[in-house]
Amino acid sequence: MLPGSVQSAAMAIEDAAVLAKLFSHLRKADQITTFLWAFQELRQPRCDSVRTQEAGTLMHMMMEQGEAQQRRDDAMRKRRDAGKETLEASRGTESPEWVEVKDVFGYDAEDEADNWWVQWGLLRERAKGADVSYETLPIQIKTAVSH
C-alpha cells in the first residue's frame, strides 16, 4: 500500500479474516501449504485492485494547480450547482467512482475465503480421499450442564 494509505489497516484486517477463515478448516498439517496458496490467490488481486484505486484517488484529489485540476474542480462545481451528488451518475447508471467505492467497502473477506473453501478446498480434500465432514474434527467439544 502507498504511504499514508487510508486502506492499509483495512487490508491487514482483511488478511487476518481470510487467514482465520481458511485455517478454521485445518485438520491436517498437509493443508497448511494449500491454505497459504489460497490466501495468496485470494488476497493478491484484491490488494492490487485497492492499491491501484487508492493511487488513482490520491492523484485525483492531490492534483497540482493547473488545467487538469481546474477541469476537475469545474466538473464538481457543475454537478453541485445542478443539485447532484459528486458520485451520482446520469440516466440511472452508476458512476465509475461509485463502483470503486462499492468495490472497496462492499468486499467481504470471510465470504471470499468461504467461497474458496466450497469451490476448491473441499474438492481438493475429497480428491485426496479425506473425510470432510465436521464430525471428524480433531477437537471434541463437550457441553457441561450444571444445575
Side-chain angles (χ1 to χ4, degrees), residues 96-108:
E97 296 85 5
W98 182 243
V99 172
E100 274 188 23
V101 168
K102 287 182 6 181
D103 286 346
V104 170
F105 294 103
Y107 179 83
D108 189 325

Side-chain angles (χ1 to χ4, degrees), residues 114-127:
D114 276 339
N115 291 342
W116 179 89
W117 175 251
V118 170
Q119 186 174 11
W120 300 109
L122 285 171
L123 179 66
R124 183 179 187 281
E125 292 304 305
R126 287 182 183 134

Side-chain angles (χ1 to χ4, degrees), residues 25 27-28 30-31 34-35 116-117 120-132:
H25 301 290
R27 302 295 175 264
K28 294 180 287 181
D30 72 340
Q31 291 175 297
T34 300
F35 289 164
W116 179 89
W117 175 251
W120 300 109
L122 285 171
L123 179 66
R124 183 179 187 281
E125 292 304 305
R126 287 182 183 134
K128 293 187 322 185
D131 181 3
V132 289

Side-chain angles (χ1 to χ4, degrees), residues 34-51:
T34 300
F35 289 164
L36 293 175
W37 279 106
F39 173 79
Q40 180 73 22
E41 180 182 313
L42 291 169
R43 297 303 297 153
Q44 190 69 50
R46 167 71 176 163
C47 291
D48 289 347
S49 171
V50 170
R51 186 179 61 243

